[in-house]
Amino acid sequence: MSDISPEEWTAILLSVRVAVIATLISTPIGIGVAWLLARRDFWGKPIIDAIIYLPLVLPPVVTGYLLLLLLGKRGLLGAWLAEHLGIVFAFRWTGAALACGVMSFPLLVRPIRLSIEAVDRRLEQASSTLGASPWKVFATVTLPLALPGILAGMVLGFAKAIGEFGATITFVSNIPGETQTISSAIYSLIQTPDGDAAASRLVMISIGIAVLALIASEWFARRATQRLHGN
């Protein structure tokens, strides 16, 4: 750890910050989308479903380029945001968080949706019969029972955000101290003559973070399941 340079620490801390913010912002949206897909039938549902999972099958560079077209300083929406609200995503760390959130969103939504679909609807109906409003049913019955899937989705989304590269570097470039995450730092280091040692350190750190995230996902899911069953 003492061999890690300040530039490497900056990339590591930026990656963690970007991943945490992307996960925290994506989670409430993901819960709402997952509930909608699990509990409602409506016209165009297959289209919405396909759009949500599209980042999983598109090349990440394509997703990043689409973000640039939409939210770049001259983009369809980005120009308006910059001019009227002073909000700029392109080539900023906030844009990196946005790109990571988009890329990790399908992995976050999927386990939450499956968890909500597994909730016994008779429990929700019983709560409604006792006078609970739909929001109260969701908050006191559906959400607690779906907690293992929510936690698993959050950790998987975090792990994906930590390792995101293609969409991020396309949308916000590779600016040291601003948008250079672990992945883009590794990319830069392997292209320099003496960068192998630093790249290897960052590779090991990224593997360690990913493994810890997966272990945490399993642990939180088991703990939540045990609490739900009174163990």
Side-chain angles (χ1 to χ4, degrees), residues 106-185:
L107 293 178
L108 185 142
V109 169
R110 184 63 177 170
I112 298 176
R113 178 182 178 179
L114 293 176
S115 191
I116 291 176
E117 288 176 344
V119 173
D120 192 343
R121 301 196 69 170
R122 292 174 297 180
L123 297 175
E124 297 174 330
Q125 293 167 357
S127 182
S128 297
T129 302
L130 293 173
S133 65
W135 278 107
K136 190 171 183 179
V137 171
F138 176 76
T140 60
V141 179
T142 309
L143 208 56
L145 292 175
L147 185 59
I150 294 171
L151 293 174
M154 289 179 67
V155 178
L156 286 176
F158 173 82
K160 172 62 177 174
I162 280 285
E164 171 51 33
F165 172 69
T168 303
I169 200 170
T170 305
F171 184 41
V172 298
S173 190
N174 185 10
I175 306 170
E178 178 66 29
T179 65
Q180 189 177 75
T181 59
I182 291 178
S183 299
S184 54

Side-chain angles (χ1 to χ4, degrees), residues 148 219-231:
W219 186 82
F220 280 124
R222 286 188 178 183
R223 289 284 296 175
T225 302
Q226 290 172 355
R227 288 186 63 184
L228 289 174
H229 291 86
N231 296 328

Side-chain angles (χ1 to χ4, degrees), residues 39-127:
R39 287 287 188 260
R40 291 289 183 265
D41 290 317
F42 52 89
W43 185 89
K45 181 177 178 179
I47 298 175
I48 300 298
D49 208 7
I51 291 173
I52 290 170
Y53 295 110
L54 199 57
L56 287 180
V57 295
L58 277 178
V61 173
V62 173
T63 303
Y65 183 63
L66 292 174
L67 288 173
L68 193 59
L69 291 177
L70 180 64
L71 294 169
K73 288 185 177 181
R74 298 181 181 179
L76 297 175
L77 182 58
W80 185 90
L81 289 174
E83 182 179 351
H84 294 88
L85 301 179
I87 299 174
V88 178
F89 288 106
F91 310 111
R92 302 282 181 87
W93 74 267
T94 50
L98 176 63
C100 288
V102 170
M103 292 300 297
S104 64
F105 195 70
L107 293 178
L108 185 142
V109 169
R110 184 63 177 170
I112 298 176
R113 178 182 178 179
L114 293 176
S115 191
I116 291 176
E117 288 176 344
V119 173
D120 192 343
R121 301 196 69 170
R122 292 174 297 180
L123 297 175
E124 297 174 330
Q125 293 167 357
S127 182

